[in-house]
Amino acid sequence: MAALLPLIILCPLAVAVILLLSRGTMPARATCGLVGVGMGLCALFGVIEAVTFLNGPDSTGALHVVLWHWIHVGGFDTSFALTLDRLSLVMMLVVSCIGFLILVYACSYMRDDPDIARFFVYMNLFVASMLLLVLSSDMIAVYFGWEGVGVCSYLLIGFWYHETPNANAARKAFVVTRIGDALFLVALLLLATGVGSLDFNAVIQAAPHAPHAAITLATLLLLGGAVAKSAQLPLQTWLPDAMAGPTPVSALIHAATMVTAGVYLIARLHAVFLLTPGVMLLCAVIGFVTILFAAGSALVQTDIKRVLAYSTMSQLGYMYMALGCGAWQGAMFHLVTHAFFKALLFMAAGSIILRVHHEQDIFKMGGLRQEMPGVFWAFIAGSAALAGLPLITAGYFSKEMILTSAYNVAPLFWLGGILGAFLTSIYIFRCVFITFWGEARTHAHGRTGIVQAVPLAILGVLAIIGGWMEVPDSLGSVHIFSNLLSPVLGELPEEHGGAVLLLIGSIVPLIGVSLAWMLWKPTGRAPEALDQPLVRVLRADWGFDALYDVVFVRPYLALGRLNRNDFIDRLYDLLASVTQFFGRAFGLMQTGQVRRYAAWIAVGTVLALCLAV
Amino acid sequence: MMFALPALVALPFFGGLAAWLSDLRGPARTPWLVSLVTLALQALLLVDLSATTFGPGWRAHFAAPWVSMLGIDIRFDMDGVSLVLLWLNLLIAIPTVLLCTRHVRDRPGLYQFLLLATIAGVNGVFLSTDMFLFFCFWELMLLPLFGVLLIWGHADRARVTLKFFLFTQGSGLLMLLSILALAVINAHDTGVLTFNYFVLAQVAGHSFLAPTIMLGFLIAFAVKMPMLPFHVWQPDTYAESPTAASVLLAGILSKTGAYGMIRFVAQMFPSATAQIAPLMIALGVIGILYCAWLAVAQDDVKRVIAYSSISHLGYIVLGVFSGTRVGTEGAVIQMVAHGLSTGALFIIAGFVEERTGTRDMRRLGGLWPAMPQFSAFAMFFTAASLGLPGIGNFVGEFMTLLGAWQISHVATFLAAFGAVLSSVYALTMMKRIFYGPAVIEGSQPLGAPSTPHLAVLGVATVLLLVLGFYPQPVLDLSTPGSLHPQSLSLAEEPAR
């Protein structure tokens, strides 16, 4: 079914183009219908393609479709080509199916916005770019998708353009991720000149024969690109601000898909990363630090979306730690389950926000359990999966898979992961208890419609049962997911010390939830956010934001303003005024008096004679 | 067929004259219509030339004696690069005349004549292979623009025109000296006085004076382009020009400098070029970063675009002086993409100024709801200018960087970092003009942009997207015709 592959990308693209050309004249209902049909077809084609591919003759290999040559010049050849193997199949299903659910949800969420057409132009462009990113077999086309999702993210964060903070957040998100993009671009230059092609297979085959320094540099640059896109330390500051966009955007872009692009890229190139253990260690360390850093910050946030943003950062940290430990399957598994439960959490949060008059501060909510039971259960399902409550949630299995691999590489990583899981269960249930229990501090209006409820329900179910496709040996040994990916990512290594680690990993989240209950259970008076200086620093990104502002942003802008008239221009002006000065000075000699001239001639002659003698 | 090349130069010139004369009597719009007809004829001529000539190498040739005593001929040769740039010239000229000159009330005939004379001069520059003729066209394309600037420019035009004049004429003089030196050396060696490009190119490489002579050319082109440190005339000039002149200057005149660097520096003086390449690449990189930095500090929309324009021209310098094929071809792509995107940005800036009465971004803001379609176009061309893949500019930047990477890793790394700085100023500009609460509410209704505006921007969008996704056809044209004698069958001596 090679013909279907381009169609999967074309569906959302076509919707975007149609909406763009309609110039906002299409009624909201028609817009939603069009989006539903377009994305529905996209998801349907994705599923059909996946099923036929897995039942086809070459289900462990790859399906390759060359679309056209991009540039071919002087020994360098690169083309737009799509490839479907089991890794891109997983990503494609995540993007198209979860994308479909989120866009359906968004139809309801954005129903009353006059600019709904523009919103869906951006969203569909995003889905098309993301699909291009995961389906390309050539890194240049990946880069097209990579930048495409970046610019769509920018447009969507700044979607409500009439507020300056949104514009600032959008610009910040783009510029910070652009730092990573620049590193990625340099990696492409390095590989293009070294290999003569940017095809994934060509690069992977050439890598073992290349000089070690070059490969190390290339993987380091690629890691840099991935880290910026996934909001890992030290380029994490853009993600919390990115919550300025509409909530479905956060669900789709800043939880389920775009931020995981870097994880996919590294998994795709894992054969190259395996050659550079130093870079892999760095990757694991970045993940390790980010887990704890972001979890610590999530613990004190007051804005429900910012809690989820920091939580996304922290969960991505798990994926990077897994990648660094060589647990490719673990990283991909967590990517999938995280897409389920984090999209669910964001959408549930969106439903809450809609019904409490766009209030996002959890300390101003409270008692919402009775008023919106459906959303409550969805949020609980998502929170349980995020916290990794044992056996009954998807997050548990994927997190344990990572933690076991991490223990086999370095027990310290395992310890960090466990500590992270502990903090995770505290911060998310803090959010749950404050939002849904206790006195009602706000009144919810309206009701959550069926168009919002169905996606929530589907993802809620997935967040619970989605983990059962990969169960460790000590609990029943199901390996559907790792078997699916093993032709691309290699066989799963033997597990060591499984049972004990599993037990600890099962108990820790339960302790965390209990602790959260003790701290934030309803007491009769309204809970209040902590406001010590230390907490404020923690809440404001551990001070990173302010630090970057002082060290980079302000000096750059201030010095730029100081030099806005361009000192080089001033140098030329100086030249001009010097010339004019001398011109005037010599002009003074032109007095018209003959005796003066005669005197000058005499002086000149004497001087000339002196020099001659 | 034979006369197609001289016709490309003569047509806009005489069309301009006709427009001027038509202004003497008749309605005020006649000159505008005459100009449009002229450009339409020019388009037909170019279609014919593209369809009937074949590459690679030199595709068309014309020669006739001019001043036989001094060995000066009228020689035109066209290769793929010339063809691409002739098209670019036309693509810039049509919207300039169509949009920016329609409502000129003050001496419209003269205005049209000066613009079309500039276009004729630019065509001549891209085609001439007689060095003296080349110099004549070089001057011809600039002189009319001084007039445009002086008569129709903004408040500070006298000072700015003087600056523009001093820089470009001063450097043009250096080029004239270099051309004369080449001719004299050749006459001394062979006893034949000629300004034939192909003949002089054979001499140029061997002379011990080559580096000095090359410098004369290089400075002239560097000023015209402009590149650091000769860029200072440009922001002032762009800001004070009427929109039509800004579009022409940024869209096409800056490309004559880049074209000259390929044709008359890199090709004629390969060894001297290789010697100076490190310096030029360093200047290119500094230009990219420094001007991107200056751009973010500006308040005037046109000055932001002007500095961003210099910044992007740095990539062309990288490509040309990398001495690689991929770099040179990337430079040509970058010229086309930069011409289209910068031209479009100036049209947008001109439109904003026309409707709001100001270019000062401190007084602008929140324009998105007032002009949604225009904002969308502005977003697109801003994305083009920050090098978004899928748009032509990215192809140019990527290929020039690919060329430069083979010369210097560090320089290329820094140049790639220019992508970050360009996103800073480009998105800041977007933010200050279109985002945020509306600043000038009710002062003047903004109104819908005219259909020609939307059509022009739409065409530019489509062209840039095609160039970004499928650049190969242009790339196939972008290898400069070679100088080697076997390729000169088309370039034989004119019949005397």
Side-chain angles (χ1 to χ4, degrees):
Chain A
M1 296 288 271
L4 219 49
L5 212 48
L7 271 185
I8 299 173
I9 302 180
L10 274 181
C11 281
L13 189 63
V15 173
V17 171
I18 293 171
L19 285 176
L20 193 65
L21 293 181
S22 80
R23 300 195 287 191
T25 54
M26 206 183 271
R29 197 170 272 278
T31 306
C32 289
L34 182 68
V35 170
V37 171
M39 276 308 295
L41 279 178
C42 169
L44 182 71
F45 289 157
V47 171
I48 293 176
E49 182 69 52
V51 171
T52 46
F53 175 75
L54 289 176
N55 292 322
D58 192 25
S59 74
T60 55
L63 181 72
H64 209 65
V65 188
V66 178
L67 297 177
W68 70 85
H69 286 277
W70 188 56
I71 51 175
H72 173 80
V73 52
F76 174 66
D77 192 1
T78 176
S79 54
F80 268 85
L82 304 182
T83 193
L84 186 72
D85 64 359
R86 291 178 165 208
L87 182 60
S88 49
L89 183 138
V90 168
M91 288 302 289
M92 177 193 76
L93 286 179
V94 167
V95 176
S96 60
C97 294
I98 296 186
F100 171 63
L101 291 178
I102 294 174
L103 261 72
V104 167
Y105 172 91
C107 280
S108 161
Y109 191 92
M110 301 297 291
R111 200 178 45 209
D112 298 327
D113 197 297
D115 265 343
I116 185 168
R118 188 165 59 87
F119 177 77
F120 279 116
V121 169
Y122 298 161
M123 283 296 250
N124 280 284
L125 269 182
F126 172 82
V127 174
S129 311
M130 191 69 207
L131 285 167
L132 179 68
L133 196 164
V134 299
L135 286 173
S136 298
S137 69
D138 197 287
M139 286 170 81
I140 199 78
V142 171
Y143 191 72
F144 273 60
W146 189 271
E147 291 267 284
V149 294
V151 85
C152 290
S153 162
Y154 162 80
L155 291 168
L156 283 162
I157 295 168
F159 175 73
W160 285 313
Y161 46 62
H162 39 75
E163 283 173 37
T164 311
N166 295 356
N168 287 336
R171 183 181 56 173
K172 182 173 173 186
F174 192 84
V175 171
V176 175
T177 51
R178 203 82 205 277
I179 297 172
D181 297 352
L183 299 177
F184 189 1
L185 182 65
V186 177
L188 291 185
L189 296 174
L190 198 159
L191 292 171
T193 40
V195 181
S197 160
L198 286 172
D199 187 75
F200 275 120
N201 287 329
V203 168
I204 289 169
Q205 270 155 24
H209 314 295
H212 191 258
I215 290 298
T216 309
L217 185 60
T219 49
L220 203 59
L221 291 166
L222 287 171
L223 179 65
V227 157
K229 209 68 167 175
S230 300
Q232 301 291 293
L233 245 58
L235 295 174
Q236 84 290 9
T237 52
W238 65 271
L239 187 61
D241 287 3
M243 297 298 122
T247 310
V249 173
S250 318
L252 179 63
I253 299 182
H254 305 120
T257 53
M258 183 187 88
V259 288
T260 59
V263 179
Y264 165 75
L265 183 73
I266 294 178
R268 168 66 69 198
L269 286 170
H270 69 278
V272 183
F273 277 83
L274 276 174
L275 300 170
T276 54
V279 177
M280 280 186 58
L281 182 66
L282 179 66
C283 177
V285 170
I286 288 175
F288 172 82
V289 176
T290 310
I291 292 172
L292 298 174
F293 168 89
S297 205
L299 214 47
V300 293
Q301 297 300 320
T302 56
D303 181 324
I304 187 165
K305 286 184 75 179
R306 286 179 90 92
V307 175
L308 297 178
Y310 277 104
S311 142
T312 302
M313 214 187 269
S314 168
Q315 298 300 306
L316 286 164
Y318 279 102
M319 296 177 213
Y320 276 84
M321 195 168 85
L323 292 171
C325 298
W328 318 110
Q329 268 106 339
M332 288 305 295
F333 188 35
H334 198 57
L335 188 159
V336 173
T337 59
H338 176 255
F340 294 157
F341 63 71
K342 192 53 66 64
L344 172 67
L345 280 171
F346 266 117
M347 285 176 5
S351 294
I352 298 171
I353 293 167
L354 261 194
R355 288 183 60 184
V356 295
H357 310 279
H358 289 273
E359 179 58 64
Q360 302 194 1
D361 188 341
I362 53 175
F363 288 95
K364 292 180 181 156
M365 294 176 183
L368 291 177
R369 189 164 38 121
Q370 286 87 13
E371 302 216 38
M372 39 178 93
V375 176
F376 165 68
W377 283 112
F379 202 89
I380 286 286
S383 307
L386 173 61
L389 296 189
L391 300 177
I392 52 158
T393 63
Y396 171 72
F397 294 103
S398 53
K399 203 174 281 177
E400 283 312 314
M401 196 168 168
I402 291 174
L403 289 180
T404 314
S405 322
Y407 185 80
N408 293 335
V409 172
L412 179 67
F413 288 151
W414 174 82
L415 200 65
I418 282 290
L419 185 58
F422 180 62
L423 294 174
T424 307
S425 55
I426 296 178
Y427 72 68
I428 194 63
F429 276 92
R430 161 182 178 266
C431 183
V432 168
F433 295 142
I434 293 175
T435 312
F436 290 102
W437 265 266
E439 293 289 310
R441 290 178 292 279
T442 179
H443 174 64
H445 68 98
R447 54 192 306 276
T448 303
I450 186 86
V451 184
Q452 290 184 28
V454 170
L456 284 177
I458 296 175
L459 283 176
V461 171
L462 285 174
I464 298 297
I465 66 167
W468 293 336
M469 55 185 165
E470 182 75 25
V471 177
D473 290 337
S474 30
L475 285 176
S477 189
V478 183
H479 292 295
I480 301 174
F481 192 82
S482 54
N483 285 340
L484 178 70
L485 284 180
S486 57
V488 186
L489 297 180
E491 292 297 324
L492 210 56
E494 282 291 307
E495 290 174 21
H496 298 288
V500 180
L501 297 182
L502 271 183
L503 192 65
I504 301 175
S506 309
I507 294 170
V508 162
L510 294 175
I511 301 175
V513 176
S514 321
L515 189 65
W517 177 252
M518 282 194 287
L519 287 171
W520 290 287
K521 70 179 174 221
T523 54
R525 59 190 179 84
E528 272 176 32
L530 299 172
D531 202 30
Q532 285 89 355
L534 185 68
V535 172
R536 253 178 289 162
V537 169
L538 212 60
R539 189 176 293 147
D541 212 37
W542 295 54
F544 266 85
D545 223 9
L547 181 75
Y548 289 169
D549 199 42
V550 170
V551 176
F552 299 112
V553 181
R554 278 164 196 277
Y556 179 75
L557 293 180
L559 287 175
R561 280 206 90 69
L562 208 63
N563 186 34
R564 56 194 279 217
N565 291 326
D566 192 2
F567 77 93
I568 300 180
D569 198 6
R570 296 285 88 84
L571 289 183
Y572 284 106
D573 282 355
L574 193 68
L575 190 69
S577 15
V578 169
T579 317
Q580 279 179 347
F581 171 75
F582 279 104
R584 270 194 217 103
F586 287 120
L588 292 179
M589 290 162 60
Q590 308 284 331
T591 51
Q593 290 174 306
V594 178
R595 51 189 178 162
R596 284 269 173 106
Y597 292 170
W600 282 119
I601 291 169
V603 171
T605 317
V606 171
L607 271 177
L609 282 174
C610 286
L611 285 174
V613 176
Chain B
M1 188 60 239
M2 169 102 177
F3 294 100
L5 298 186
L8 267 178
V9 181
L11 182 69
F13 187 80
F14 288 109
L17 266 183
W20 194 6
L21 292 177
S22 75
D23 190 27
L24 298 178
R25 186 165 299 177
R29 272 178 65 182
T30 330
W32 181 65
L33 290 172
V34 173
S35 285
L36 282 181
V37 170
T38 309
L39 290 177
L41 288 175
Q42 196 186 334
L44 284 179
L45 207 56
L46 265 181
V47 169
D48 177 55
L49 255 181
S50 319
T52 54
T53 61
F54 303 97
W58 298 97
R59 300 162 67 105
H61 167 72
F62 172 86
W66 184 18
V67 188
S68 306
M69 204 170 65
L70 295 174
I72 300 171
D73 302 320
I74 296 178
R75 292 184 65 93
F76 295 118
D77 285 279
M78 184 184 80
D79 65 353
V81 179
S82 313
L83 184 61
V84 169
L85 291 171
L86 288 172
W87 270 112
L88 179 67
N89 188 17
L90 183 71
L91 286 174
I92 301 286
I94 290 176
T96 310
V97 171
L98 184 69
L99 301 181
C100 308
T101 65
R102 190 174 175 179
H103 300 296
V104 171
R105 292 276 167 272
D106 179 20
R107 281 172 280 180
L110 182 61
Y111 196 61
Q112 298 295 349
F113 169 66
L114 292 176
L115 286 185
L116 285 180
T118 305
I119 290 161
V122 174
N123 274 346
V125 163
F126 289 147
L127 286 170
S128 308
T129 47
D130 185 280
M131 306 285 278
F132 194 82
L133 189 67
F134 174 78
F135 180 75
C136 292
F137 283 123
W138 186 263
E139 297 297 318
L140 176 64
M141 76 178 179
L142 285 172
L143 288 174
L145 272 185
F146 296 138
V148 171
L149 217 70
L150 266 182
I151 302 177
W152 291 275
H154 297 302
D156 197 16
R157 57 182 181 249
R159 183 185 69 86
V160 165
T161 311
L162 181 65
K163 198 167 170 183
F164 179 36
F165 184 86
L166 283 177
F167 270 88
T168 49
Q169 294 302 304
S171 62
L173 202 62
L174 288 178
M175 182 164 80
L176 180 63
L177 287 177
S178 284
I179 292 174
L180 291 177
L182 271 181
V184 167
I185 290 171
N186 182 55
H188 185 260
D189 288 359
T190 62
V192 182
L193 184 62
T194 177
F195 285 89
N196 184 330
Y197 167 67
F198 297 97
V199 175
L200 293 186
Q202 305 303 321
V203 183
H206 310 303
S207 166
F208 72 98
L209 276 174
T212 321
I213 297 175
M214 184 212 61
L215 221 53
F217 283 104
L218 186 59
I219 290 176
F221 298 140
V223 168
K224 190 74 225 39
M225 207 160 127
M227 65 178 283
L228 228 61
F230 305 114
H231 64 281
V232 296
W233 62 269
Q234 191 247 33
D236 286 346
T237 311
Y238 284 14
E240 296 301 325
S241 299
T243 306
S246 302
V247 174
L248 273 189
L249 273 167
I252 192 68
L253 266 86
S254 61
K255 310 306 174 295
T256 57
Y259 169 83
M261 282 197 188
I262 294 178
R263 179 81 82 217
F264 297 102
V265 175
Q267 272 197 301
M268 272 175 97
F269 305 92
S271 61
T273 304
Q275 276 172 9
I276 205 168
L279 175 68
M280 295 303 283
I281 285 185
L283 281 176
V285 171
I286 294 171
I288 290 173
L289 299 176
Y290 180 70
C291 292
W293 186 41
L294 284 180
V296 81
Q298 304 300 318
D299 288 323
D300 182 336
V301 183
K302 275 186 158 181
R303 289 183 80 92
V304 178
I305 306 174
Y307 279 112
S308 97
S309 173
I310 313 176
S311 172
H312 288 126
L313 291 168
Y315 290 102
I316 295 180
V317 177
L318 287 190
V320 171
F321 286 90
S322 73
T324 57
R325 194 179 144 200
V326 63
T328 310
E329 296 191 0
V332 175
I333 297 268
Q334 177 78 353
M335 286 187 219
V336 177
H338 178 270
L340 292 174
S341 65
T342 311
L345 279 175
F346 270 117
I347 287 179
I348 290 173
F351 184 80
V352 167
E353 185 186 10
E354 183 190 316
R355 295 294 168 98
T356 62
T358 181
R359 295 193 312 265
D360 188 339
M361 290 195 289
R362 284 169 299 191
R363 295 169 54 201
L364 289 168
L367 284 187
W368 198 308
M371 37 200 303
Q373 294 161 13
F374 238 62
S375 309
F377 277 120
M379 190 66 237
F380 177 83
F381 292 108
T382 304
S385 125
L386 57 79
L388 194 75
I391 306 177
N393 306 50
F394 173 73
V395 185
E397 286 177 21
F398 180 75
M399 290 178 67
T400 48
L401 288 177
L402 201 57
W405 179 260
Q406 292 161 36
I407 307 300
S408 162
H409 292 355
V410 176
T412 314
F413 189 85
L414 291 173
F417 202 74
V420 179
L421 301 191
S422 72
S423 67
V424 175
Y425 70 71
L427 297 183
T428 304
M429 181 176 77
M430 273 308 286
K431 187 198 123 184
R432 295 181 69 181
I433 302 177
F434 295 105
Y435 282 80
V439 173
I440 33 171
E441 220 161 349
S443 64
Q444 201 176 351
L446 292 172
S450 66
T451 318
H453 269 103
L454 291 178
V456 161
L457 295 177
V459 169
T461 305
V462 170
L463 286 173
L464 280 173
L465 282 175
V466 170
L467 192 64
F469 277 103
Y470 190 54
Q472 194 62 42
V474 182
L475 279 182
D476 289 338
L477 287 174
S478 311
T479 313
S482 114
L483 298 178
H484 291 297
Q486 62 264 29
S487 72
L488 291 183
S489 54
L490 270 174
E492 75 282 354
E493 284 296 297
R496 285 182 192 278

